Amino acid sequence: MKNLLKISTLALLLFTSISCENDDQTIVSPSGGPQLLTPLDGSSYVLLPENATNEATTLVWNHADYDVQTEVNYDVEVALSGTNFETIIPAGSTNNRFVVWTVEALNGVALQAGLVPYTAGDLDIRIKSSLGSNEDMVAYSNIIKLTVTPFTTDLPQLAVPGNHQGWSPGSAPRIAAAGFGQTDYEGYVWLDGEFKFVAPNGSGIYDWGNTDWGDNGDFTGILVETGESNCTAITGYYRVKANTSTLTYSTTAVSWGIIGSATPTGWDSDTDLTYNPTTKKLEIASIALVPGAFKFRGNNAWSNGFDLGTVNADGFLVDGGDLTFSGAAGNYKVILDLSNPRRYTYELIAL
């Protein structure tokens, strides 16, 4: 009887062990993927920079069905329409069943996917569900197509390589156009003899082998792509302009100063700034300032783009008007930064 009891107990323990082992190896699998409900397939969006913080749309989907009650991870995936998600742009991760896209967020996704600014293009959107980091338990939603017209606030640029920096397009100073699709490039560059203009390639890389321009050989400001000579300038600081539509360029030597009632000489004369080759900025090491109006002036002129006295809504210096110094009277370091083309700034640093 005792032996029978021992055998029965052993059998029960063995059965329990096997059952527990089988429970530990339970395979969880999705029985249904999430269903993307909004926005509607075929929805269209024209994005504008002034609405960057506004909501563009909200993605909403229902639950993915798994065999266990557990938290589900959801990832929003975006791809250029018709590419079968060959290149996936991650566009949000959550344990909820929705993701809010601002105009700025959707614009970033669209540009990263390869849409062209200010041109309508199509994106494919889907939701991927998973449990933890186990990629064996992935399920996908239906795919919807959105038509998006993105924008860019980046200005088209040309590199200006030459003697002044070792003929390296990738590290050369830049000049910028007034806006996307424009060809009127402008900027401030320290030149030292020969130079050229180099455009970026399709990936935004500046290098030899890309489209580049030089002088047509008579040095009257005419650009050509083939059979060109290097442009040239006497060593100095220049406003450089180039237009790749009209195929013209110009270099104007310019010296900058600060002038106004806030400065020691008032409105009668400028206090000159000096170019710093290390920082690529214009500086005054120390100047006595008092509360009052001032501006930055090039070549002692009040026009021709050499009259920086207004900070625009984007925080950059533009022509016209007067700036105001309202700090305590004292000595200040002045920095005028013209190294970022068409994105000019200044600093007044108390000493």
Side-chain angles (χ1 to χ4, degrees):
M1 183 65 180
K2 290 182 179 180
N3 289 337
L4 180 60
L5 181 59
K6 289 180 180 179
I7 292 171
S8 300
T9 302
L10 181 60
L12 178 61
L13 291 172
L14 181 60
F15 176 78
T16 302
S17 175
I18 293 172
S19 298
C20 291
E21 185 176 349
N22 287 340
D23 285 345
D24 290 342
Q25 294 180 353
T26 298
I27 298 176
V28 179
S29 61
S31 57
Q35 184 71 14
L36 192 50
L37 304 174
T38 63
L40 297 178
D41 184 37
S43 295
S44 181
Y45 302 89
V46 177
L47 307 179
L48 300 173
E50 58 266 30
N51 299 328
T53 59
N54 294 350
E55 180 182 330
T57 189
T58 298
L59 304 175
V60 179
W61 57 90
N62 60 15
H63 276 301
D65 295 326
Y66 286 86
D67 296 333
V68 295
Q69 293 296 319
T70 186
E71 191 171 60
V72 180
N73 302 320
Y74 296 103
D75 296 301
V76 181
E77 296 186 343
V78 178
L80 200 62
S81 188
T83 62
N84 199 31
F85 288 88
E86 181 178 350
T87 301
I88 295 172
I89 309 302
S93 297
T94 183
N95 298 122
N96 298 315
R97 291 185 293 116
F98 67 92
V99 163
V100 178
W101 274 344
T102 63
V103 168
E104 184 176 35
L106 178 54
N107 190 69
V109 167
L111 293 176
Q112 191 176 354
L115 296 192
V116 178
Y118 307 106
T119 302
D122 294 333
L123 300 175
D124 287 340
I125 319 293
R126 71 184 181 187
I127 307 299
K128 181 180 80 171
S129 65
S130 63
L131 296 182
S133 59
N134 192 340
E135 290 298 314
D136 292 332
M137 293 182 286
V138 168
Y140 292 97
S141 74
N142 55 313
I143 297 172
I144 64 170
K145 180 188 293 185
L146 302 182
T147 299
V148 179
T149 303
F151 64 86
T152 181
T153 56
D154 293 336
L155 299 178
Q157 296 187 347
L158 297 178
V160 187
N163 289 349
H164 54 285
Q165 53 80 239
W167 291 99
S168 175
S171 59
R174 309 280 180 80
I175 58 177
F180 185 83
Q182 303 299 310
T183 60
D184 56 340
Y185 297 89
E186 176 183 307
Y188 289 89
V189 182
W190 180 271
L191 296 174
D192 182 15
E194 296 182 338
F195 65 95
K196 294 185 77 173
F197 301 97
V198 178
N201 62 18
S203 299
I205 305 300
Y206 295 85
D207 206 351
W208 298 115
N210 300 352
T211 301
D212 67 76
W213 296 266
D215 194 276
N216 72 340
D218 62 13
F219 300 98
T220 59
I222 305 300
L223 290 176
V224 291
E225 291 184 44
T226 58
E228 73 275 16
S229 301
N230 292 333
C231 306
T232 187
I234 297 172
T235 301
Y237 192 64
Y238 289 85
R239 181 178 68 184
V240 179
K241 293 185 176 184
N243 193 309
T244 55
S245 292
T246 61
L247 293 177
T248 57
Y249 78 99
S250 66
T251 55
T252 304
V254 56
S255 61
W256 284 89
I258 185 172
I259 190 171
S261 59
T263 70
T265 56
W267 292 103
D268 295 328
S269 63
D270 300 82
T271 302
D272 291 336
L273 293 99
T274 301
Y275 179 74
N276 184 327
T278 301
T279 64
K280 308 293 190 293
K281 301 174 184 179
L282 298 159
E283 301 175 356
I284 296 175
S286 179
I287 185 175
L289 297 179
V290 297
F294 71 98
K295 64 171 55 184
F296 296 98
R297 196 167 66 145
N299 290 349
N300 300 314
W302 296 110
S303 58
N304 296 321
F306 294 149
D307 179 7
L308 301 178
T310 298
V311 175
N312 66 15
D314 295 321
F316 302 120
L317 280 170
V318 294
D319 287 350
D322 293 333
L323 301 165
T324 300
F325 172 65
S326 56
N331 291 330
Y332 289 79
K333 181 176 183 177
V334 179
I335 299 175
L336 177 61
D337 186 0
L338 306 181
S339 63
N340 190 2
R342 297 186 186 268
R343 298 287 188 263
Y344 308 135
T345 61
Y346 78 95
E347 293 181 84
L348 304 177
I349 303 171
L351 300 175

